[in-house]
Amino acid sequence: MRTDWVPASAAMLLTGALALCLGGFLLPQSDNGSESLRIVQEQSGQWMTAAVVLFLASVFLTLGLPAILTMFEHRGWGLALVSTVVLEVGFIGTAGFAMLMAFFRSLVLTDAIRDKNIDEIASDAGIAVFLYAWIVGLYLGELLLGIALLRAGTTPRWIPFALILHALIAPFSGALPEYLSKATVLLMVAAFAGIAIQANAPTRRRFVS
């Protein structure tokens, strides 16, 4: 059986992680709806670029999930499968967030949203539920994947520790300076890069043959 899909999936995983990192750095940080409105008005191009990059990141990360599953033979397989499903919820949420960004930008540029109604939109229950589900899916999936990799023991231990550390500090990243908060995503990028390298290792390629 040919395994040409393994390096392709591993490359997609790394590309998606890098795109997610880039999108996070490009996305201007705001504290409230009024600040987001001002950012879109003044930095419309950067806002849209971040949205496109985040959407592409979700696509590439989804295509990279099969490479992650090659890390598991027997130990940790069940937890790994659960983690990838939860991660996929987060990846789909990333795509949804990117499309929400694009939609928000179009409403702002057509003057459909103004300061007087921006706070009402920001406090909408449906949007809040979507955002929380997206964030929880992304970081919970990352945490579960790190634990599964520790149980499997098929990667260097720094890889699952990087995933777990990133997932644990994410809820407190808002208290960090902006540059440091955004830089924490490099932990996930490094971990996914390590997984991509391990997936292409000769011994791992033989396992999936």
Side-chain angles (χ1 to χ4, degrees), residues 118-153:
I118 184 63
D119 291 331
E120 297 177 6
I121 296 174
S123 61
D124 181 79
I127 294 178
V129 170
F130 162 74
L131 291 176
Y132 279 118
W134 163 49
I135 294 172
V136 169
L138 199 59
Y139 294 121
L140 178 60
E142 188 178 10
L143 178 63
L144 293 176
L145 177 60
I147 296 173
L149 287 172
L150 278 178
R151 293 184 60 186

Side-chain angles (χ1 to χ4, degrees), residues 9-10 13-14 36 76 131 136 142 163 168 173 181 201 203:
S9 180
L13 179 66
L14 178 56
S36 297
L131 291 176
V136 169
E142 188 178 10
L163 290 171
L168 291 179
S173 60
S181 175
T203 54

Side-chain angles (χ1 to χ4, degrees), residues 39-120:
I39 290 172
V40 173
Q41 291 172 337
E42 297 179 359
Q43 306 176 46
S44 175
Q46 181 177 340
W47 182 275
M48 192 61 191
T49 300
V52 171
V53 171
L54 288 175
F55 182 83
L56 292 175
S58 70
V59 175
F60 288 132
L61 286 170
T62 296
L63 295 174
L65 285 177
I68 293 178
L69 291 176
T70 63
M71 295 294 99
F72 303 91
E73 301 176 19
H74 302 292
R75 294 182 60 189
W77 170 257
L79 185 57
L81 194 59
V82 172
S83 71
T84 54
V85 171
V86 178
L87 273 173
E88 181 56 23
V89 172
F91 296 159
I92 293 173
T94 302
F97 178 69
M99 290 186 286
L100 189 63
M101 287 177 61
F103 183 60
F104 178 71
R105 173 180 176 273
S106 65
L107 292 178
V108 171
L109 296 184
T110 57
D111 290 330
I113 295 181
R114 300 180 182 275
D115 283 327
K116 61 183 180 182
N117 58 358
I118 184 63
D119 291 331
E120 297 177 6

